[in-house]
Amino acid sequence: MDVSMTLWVLTILGLSALIAIDFFIGRKPHDVSIKEAGTWSVVWIVLAALFGLGLLFFGNSQASGEFFAGFITEKSLSVDNLFVFVLIMAKFSVPSHLQQRVLLIGVLIALVLRAIFIAAGAAIIASFSWVFYIFGAFLIYTAWKLIQEARSDDEEDEFEENRLLKSVEKKFGVADKYHGTKLFLKVNGKRVMTPLMVVMLAIGTTDVLFALDSIPAIFGLTQDPYIVFTANAFALMGLRQLYFLIGGLLKKLVHLSYGLSVILGFIGVKLVLHALHESDVHVPEISIPFSLAVICGVLVITTITSLIASKKQAEREAAESGDTTGKPAASGKSEKDSVEV
């Protein structure tokens, strides 16, 4: 798909306007209700759908299919990110009314970092087609690693600060408590960060870890930088509302890692086949419609089996505890046991 510089500029301005509107609406710190989160989650999904349809009418069916496949993949991978966001919020004891501000700025940092990753990835792919072998092998390895983590019996949930975050904290210092929405303040004449600034950096920089598999994954579906960027942008911008909407549901998605491992493994194989095809080896290539069907099918099956497994686990725990009320107990363990960038 040929994208002019004018279209790039208009797209970035449009996305910036949407982000500004989102920030303006949520500028006053408050506890986000399920109704508010649900409404805005639908809004972002509808906007993404309209964008994909716009690619169909003003571009071509391939571009539209690649966008929807990329968007759904990035959205499903971002749900996995939410497990870590929950750990970060708990680690820094973020007040509930400040969590939306943390996620908004954190997601913006993540979007900027991903834009850099995408630009670098597009430049590498344009110069070296053999990089598809590396991307494919890495995704297959990541898929296997996800399965191993899902089967692990280690139930300890912990977020470990990365080295960059620790060095920033050491350099600037951190205030002992939250001060509303302030990011910096002066203590004894020295400018120090507030815990709010620290947790925003934690959210943003931790996303680099997820970009290492999500960016190669979407390049396995399309090599168009415009589609890669917009699919990532729409997936990330609705992440804040999704956090509040399905926060209580996260622990019930006990099979999510298995589903994501299948998707990443599938895209990894697709990348390897594409690399072989680029090397003039006659192998079948996986089409975008088939890829989209596989991704959606895996997510539906994963969600259904997760909810069934969670329900059975709740019933077992209720029976073991002698609960005769019939109310399900909280169950399920986080798929993210320990995270360090």
Side-chain angles (χ1 to χ4, degrees):
M1 179 178 173
D2 293 327
V3 180
S4 65
M5 181 58 67
T6 301
L7 182 56
W8 267 107
V9 171
L10 290 176
T11 301
I12 293 174
L13 289 176
L15 292 173
S16 298
L18 291 174
I19 293 172
I21 292 172
D22 193 18
F23 182 83
F24 178 78
I25 292 174
R27 69 188 186 282
K28 183 178 180 181
H30 65 281
D31 292 325
V32 178
S33 65
I34 295 296
K35 180 180 179 181
E36 178 184 347
T39 300
W40 282 102
S41 292
V42 171
V43 168
W44 283 115
I45 292 175
V46 169
L47 288 173
L50 291 175
F51 183 85
L53 291 175
L55 289 177
L56 176 62
F57 289 114
F58 298 103
N60 52 63
S61 59
Q62 180 177 348
S64 179
E66 289 176 351
F67 172 79
F68 281 116
F71 172 73
I72 294 172
T73 299
E74 293 300 314
K75 199 70 172 177
S76 60
L77 289 171
S78 69
V79 171
D80 201 37
N81 299 12
L82 296 183
F83 284 110
V84 181
F85 290 176
V86 170
L87 298 181
I88 292 175
M89 294 293 189
K91 167 79 174 182
F92 294 97
S93 302
V94 182
S96 59
H97 68 282
L98 292 177
Q99 289 184 6
Q100 65 159 344
R101 179 65 61 86
V102 168
L103 289 170
L104 177 60
I105 305 301
V107 166
L108 287 179
I109 296 173
L111 186 56
V112 172
L113 293 176
R114 289 203 181 199
I116 297 172
F117 272 61
I118 291 168
I124 293 173
I125 287 173
S127 302
F128 310 102
S129 60
W130 50 261
V131 78
F132 286 114
Y133 288 109
I134 298 177
F135 280 2
F138 178 73
L139 289 180
I140 294 172
Y141 167 76
T142 303
W144 172 250
K145 188 177 179 181
L146 273 177
I147 293 176
Q148 294 297 100
E149 290 178 356
R151 298 177 62 183
S152 173
D153 293 329
D154 184 8
E155 298 187 5
E156 181 181 359
D157 295 332
E158 181 182 356
F159 169 76
E160 299 178 11
E161 297 181 33
N162 55 65
R163 293 182 179 179
L164 175 61
L165 193 58
K166 289 179 179 178
S167 64
V168 171
E169 290 177 6
K170 184 178 180 180
K171 180 177 180 179
F172 290 94
V174 182
D176 58 353
K177 64 179 181 179
Y178 288 89
H179 293 265
T181 58
K182 291 183 178 180
L183 303 181
F184 291 93
L185 50 87
K186 283 191 175 182
V187 177
N188 298 325
K190 181 182 179 182
R191 187 179 177 85
V192 300
M193 296 190 302
T194 65
L196 186 66
M197 183 64 181
V198 176
V199 71
M200 285 179 179
L201 291 175
I203 292 285
T205 56
T206 298
D207 187 76
V208 174
L209 174 67
F210 300 106
L212 292 178
D213 53 41
S214 66
I215 298 302
I218 195 170
F219 270 116
L221 298 169
T222 176
Q223 285 80 59
D224 191 326
Y226 182 76
I227 296 177
V228 173
F229 174 73
T230 51
N232 265 274
F234 277 105
L236 281 176
M237 288 192 300
L239 191 59
R240 179 168 66 94
Q241 290 80 4
L242 196 62
Y243 171 86
F244 295 105
L245 182 63
I246 68 171
L249 183 63
L250 285 176
K251 289 187 176 181
K252 294 183 179 181
L253 299 178
V254 293
H255 295 161
L256 179 62
S257 285
Y258 292 106
L260 293 179
S261 67
V262 171
I263 291 174
L264 291 178
F266 169 78
I267 297 176
V269 171
K270 184 178 185 299
L271 274 171
V272 172
L273 291 176
H274 178 75
L276 290 171
H277 183 78
E278 291 291 311
S279 302
D280 296 324
V281 178
H282 296 290
V283 293
E285 284 207 86
I286 301 173
S287 67
I288 288 298
F290 182 75
S291 299
L292 187 57
V294 169
I295 292 167
C296 292
V298 169
L299 291 176
V300 170
I301 293 172
T302 298
T303 300
I304 293 174
T305 59
S306 292
L307 295 178
I308 293 174
S310 295
K311 183 178 180 181
K312 290 182 178 179
Q313 178 65 21
E315 291 174 349
R316 284 196 297 268
E317 291 182 358
E320 292 174 358
S321 64
D323 184 1
T324 58
T325 62
K327 295 181 180 180
S331 66
K333 80 181 185 74
S334 170
E335 300 292 343
K336 296 290 183 182
D337 297 325
S338 179
V339 177
E340 181 176 8
V341 181

